[in-house]
Amino acid sequence: MGEPGGAGCRGHHPLHRQHDVRLHPPAFYGTWILVNLGLVPGVPKFDPSFVVLAMEASVEAIFLSTFVLISQNRMAAAADKRADLDLQISLLAEHELTKLSELVAEIARRMDIRTQADPELKEVQQDIAPEAVLDEIEARQRKD
């Protein structure tokens, strides 16, 4: 097995494809410009005013911006899924911690240990139903 991007992976590794994409347009445009400036002997000018080159570059920019937007939309959708999963995990963890807090408080009560002195304890023991939070979030998203 070689390293990523090694000789065995040439052309198949994403970084190589990206590198190739970056090199081709400058070489292509540079050749186009040199030919149409008359700097390449024996090759006739085919676009002396560079109108066709400008049109080709504009079309390429349209396609490139479309691909970038599609990629950004996919990345945003993946980020939304990760955020939803993170929220669900956080809500379940909070629910479980509430149950553990109640269990520890019951153990303390049976051992005659005073726990009511801590003002945060009541807040920690308030059970939050994950389903109710998710339903509320969905209802607010529908309103927006």
Side-chain angles (χ1 to χ4, degrees):
M1 293 257 146
E3 62 185 70
C9 296
R10 190 155 308 270
H12 297 291
H13 194 269
L15 292 177
H16 286 288
R17 280 184 264 139
Q18 184 180 23
H19 183 69
D20 289 342
V21 169
R22 289 183 183 171
L23 284 181
H24 287 289
F28 176 72
Y29 293 143
T31 303
W32 189 304
I33 291 168
L34 290 175
V35 167
N36 289 295
L37 287 175
L39 300 175
V40 179
V43 180
K45 295 180 182 180
F46 57 90
D47 185 21
S49 63
F50 299 107
V51 172
V52 178
L53 177 63
M55 181 189 64
E56 193 280 331
S58 297
V59 170
E60 184 175 345
I62 291 169
F63 281 113
L64 189 61
S65 62
T66 301
F67 294 143
V68 167
L69 289 173
I70 289 170
S71 176
Q72 286 177 339
N73 285 341
R74 286 182 181 162
M75 289 171 38
D80 286 345
K81 286 181 181 179
R82 283 192 298 273
D84 287 344
L85 180 61
D86 188 40
L87 173 64
Q88 290 178 1
I89 290 170
S90 295
L91 289 172
L92 287 173
E94 185 169 341
H95 182 71
E96 291 173 359
L97 287 174
T98 300
K99 293 297 179 187
L100 284 173
S101 173
E102 291 172 358
L103 182 63
V104 169
E106 181 61 26
I107 291 171
R109 187 187 64 77
R110 288 186 183 189
M111 296 181 71
D112 291 328
I113 299 173
R114 188 170 171 223
T115 59
Q116 300 303 325
D118 189 358
E120 292 180 358
L121 187 60
K122 290 188 183 206
E123 184 179 334
V124 171
Q125 288 179 339
Q126 290 179 350
D127 192 18
I128 297 174
E131 303 85 14
V133 174
L134 291 173
D135 290 343
E136 179 66 25
I137 290 172
E138 288 176 8
R140 288 186 183 185
Q141 286 177 343
R142 278 188 241 126
K143 286 181 183 178
D144 295 339

